[in-house]
Structure formats: C-alpha cells, structure tokens
Amino acid sequence: MEWFLKVVKNYAGFEGRARRKEYWMFILFYLIFDVILAVIENVLGLNNILTGLYGLALLLPSLAVTARRLHDTGRSGWMQLIGLIPLVGWIIMLVFLCQDSQGDNRFGENPKY
C-alpha cells in the first residue's frame, strides 16, 4: 500500500526512475481498488461511474510511474506509445516493464541501491 501512496503523492513526477517493485505494487493496488469499485457499482446498479472516475483520477500517476519505470530500464517515457499498437505493443511493453534496472543512466542513479 505504501508504494501505491508513494506514486499517488508523486502525482505528475515524470522525471527520475521507478523500480519494478514500485511499478508492480502500484499496478496491483490499482487493480484491487478497481475490482472493489466494480463490485460496488454492480451492487448499486451504477453504470461504470465509479471505475471511470477512478481511472480518470489515476491516469496521470499511471502514465508517470510507467515513464519512470521505462527510465529505469534506460528508455524514454515516450516508449509508452508502443502500447497503442494492439497486441504486439502490449507484449513489448510488458517485456520492457519486467526488465531489471539498468545501472546509473541518463535518468539518474539506480534506485535499487
């Protein structure tokens, strides 16, 4: 939970680097809260109102943490645009996001140490 809150507090911080743990813990809690909101919507008979607002509220932090994760692997944050390519782009992004941290690079020191 602390990793999720760390990303939300660094709301629009596109600079620097994010470790795999920071990125994947953010994604995990993002999905958990999204499922909880979807269940609440289903019980109350709402039509994607809560999940839509939640997704919109966390759009910028999601883009920022993904950019920082790509920086950690030595890539530009603009590489996120590859994810717009159906299927192939998603697979490439998954590979990029799962790779280990690069040593010190142009985006800063290795956050692992």
Side-chain angles (χ1 to χ4, degrees):
M1 184 69 172
E2 68 186 64
W3 292 102
F4 181 80
L5 295 175
K6 179 182 175 188
V7 170
V8 172
K9 286 179 186 175
N10 192 8
Y11 193 78
F14 284 84
E15 296 172 1
R17 296 169 66 165
R19 294 177 56 192
R20 277 185 293 192
K21 184 174 185 177
E22 178 182 349
Y23 178 78
W24 290 109
M25 291 302 284
F26 172 78
I27 295 299
L28 174 67
F29 281 99
Y30 180 94
L31 292 174
I32 289 171
F33 294 142
D34 196 44
V35 167
I36 291 170
L37 288 174
V39 169
I40 292 171
E41 282 179 338
N42 196 14
V43 169
L44 297 177
L46 300 174
N47 193 12
N48 297 329
I49 295 171
L50 297 176
T51 54
L53 290 174
Y54 176 71
L56 188 61
L58 290 180
L59 176 65
L60 200 54
S62 299
L63 292 173
V65 76
T66 304
R68 290 194 312 269
R69 178 70 204 124
L70 288 169
H71 289 171
D72 196 40
T73 62
R75 294 176 177 82
S76 169
W78 288 102
M79 293 292 283
Q80 293 181 67
L81 295 175
I82 289 176
L84 295 175
I85 301 169
L87 192 59
V88 174
W90 303 337
I91 293 169
I92 292 170
M93 280 301 297
L94 183 62
V95 169
F96 287 168
L97 296 171
C98 289
Q99 288 180 340
D100 195 12
S101 298
Q102 197 180 52
D104 294 347
N105 63 23
R106 67 179 191 223
F107 299 107
E109 295 179 7
N110 190 345
K112 192 183 270 188
Y113 304 110

